[in-house]
Amino acid sequence: MDDLKRILDEEELSFGRTLDRGEGLFEKYLAEAKAANLKTIDGAFVWRLYDTYGFPTDLTRLMAQESGMDIDENGFDEAQTKAKEISKKRKEGKAGEELLKLDIHARGILEQDTSVPKTDDSYKFNLDPISAEIMAIFSKSTSFTKTTLDIDESEQIGIILGRTNFYAEQGGQEYDTGRITIDGKADFEVTNVQMYKGYVMHTGYLSSGNLHVGDKVIATYDELRRWPIKNNHTGTHILNYALREVLGMAVDQRGSLVAAEKLRFDFSHNVYPPKWPF
């Protein structure tokens, strides 16, 4: 019951942050639109509020109506259709697509580039989104590049930040997912996070806008996905302790998998027959 209450509380806090952020973006857009004497809100902006930030479209329409503004519904439909087409194209490509990785050659380039420090990932213990700077952009077609402008929207992109609050996959624990954004300008969906000798690369797809080396961004991991991973991580430690209590110190952990939906704990025990304590 306590776990359920904690999960509900986390969901409520997360949704509250979503509303606050969405309202802030809307108010900023509204001020700029009124300054330009516009009477219609860009439909693509309304779609982006929903698709990128999870802000309810009905609430955007209500706020627009209260402000005496109309929404470009055709633009909204076009943006939604385009997003679905891109998503379909990416899914078709993923069937035979390998995860974008930094090979030995790419890592060598990074290590020689003094402008790209190793990633400070101490912020992964924070609960809130953090601000960060893009230090490097990588793709299969361009290798390292200063901008995403020349990268196809269906291609995987790797982003290296100066600091990150995302967990990279390591020790059997799955990576975080989430978003890297410039509010109102660009959005990058993080679908995988890997560590390469101190460099944390966030791999995913550009949803809107473009990113450049040096851009100041907001890094936000998926809280609701991380919570069950954290719980299962704790579960592996409890299981290891329980096995040693029952079977003795001869229990030796050989590996584990910590995912959102399950955990797996591999171990060896060379004492036979086991000496039970009861």
Side-chain angles (χ1 to χ4, degrees), residues 58-251:
D58 289 343
L59 185 54
T60 304
R61 290 193 171 95
L62 179 62
M63 293 168 64
Q65 184 179 7
E66 291 175 346
S67 302
M69 302 281 284
D70 294 321
I71 289 177
D72 178 8
E73 298 292 350
N74 288 332
F76 176 85
D77 292 339
E78 289 174 2
Q80 185 179 38
T81 300
K82 182 180 178 181
K84 289 181 178 179
E85 290 174 351
I86 293 173
S87 177
K88 181 181 178 181
K89 188 176 179 182
R90 289 172 181 169
K91 287 179 180 178
E92 290 173 349
K94 284 179 182 177
E97 185 180 33
E98 293 184 358
L99 174 68
L100 179 68
K101 297 180 180 180
L102 291 178
D103 58 19
I104 294 176
H105 175 68
R107 293 199 298 269
I109 293 175
L110 276 181
E111 289 171 351
Q112 293 175 18
D113 188 347
T114 57
S115 68
V116 184
K118 293 189 176 181
T119 311
D120 177 4
D121 68 344
S122 61
Y123 296 86
K124 65 189 178 185
F125 302 110
N126 291 5
L127 294 177
D128 297 326
I130 65 168
S131 60
E133 180 179 350
I134 295 179
M135 308 306 295
I137 298 172
F138 182 78
S139 77
K140 187 175 182 180
S141 64
T142 64
S143 188
F144 288 103
T145 179
K146 296 294 184 182
T147 177
T148 61
L149 281 168
D150 298 324
I151 303 175
D152 188 90
E153 59 193 6
S154 65
E155 185 177 356
Q156 285 186 84
I157 300 173
I159 303 292
I160 296 176
L161 303 175
R163 60 182 187 175
T164 186
N165 54 348
F166 283 75
Y167 269 96
E169 181 175 8
Q170 53 188 323
Q173 180 167 327
E174 281 196 349
Y175 48 82
D176 278 335
T177 60
R179 292 188 179 273
I180 294 172
T181 58
I182 302 176
D183 279 350
K185 294 183 178 180
D187 172 59
F188 181 80
E189 180 187 3
V190 179
T191 59
N192 198 300
V193 186
Q194 299 289 325
M195 174 85 77
Y196 299 95
K197 290 191 173 181
Y199 299 98
V200 176
M201 189 164 78
H202 311 76
T203 305
Y205 300 90
L206 197 63
S207 299
S208 64
N210 278 288
L211 297 172
H212 310 267
V213 170
D215 279 347
K216 301 299 189 296
V217 298
I218 298 172
T220 308
Y221 65 82
D222 185 341
E223 293 181 62
L224 299 183
R225 183 176 181 276
R226 181 187 280 190
W227 274 110
I229 292 176
K230 288 175 63 177
N231 291 342
N232 285 336
H233 179 93
T234 301
T236 62
H237 289 291
I238 294 173
L239 184 55
N240 188 31
Y241 175 81
L243 285 168
R244 289 192 170 191
E245 283 291 296
V246 173
L247 300 179
M249 296 304 293
V251 168

Side-chain angles (χ1 to χ4, degrees), residues 35-56:
N37 293 317
L38 299 178
K39 298 296 182 182
T40 303
I41 295 177
D42 182 12
F45 169 75
V46 177
W47 168 254
R48 190 161 60 248
L49 271 183
Y50 169 73
D51 188 43
T52 301
Y53 304 102
F55 195 75

Side-chain angles (χ1 to χ4, degrees), residues 258-277:
V258 181
E261 68 280 359
K262 65 181 179 180
L263 69 86
R264 190 192 72 237
F265 187 85
D266 306 326
F267 71 96
S268 63
H269 183 259
N270 295 324
V271 177
Y272 187 83
K275 184 179 179 180
W276 298 95

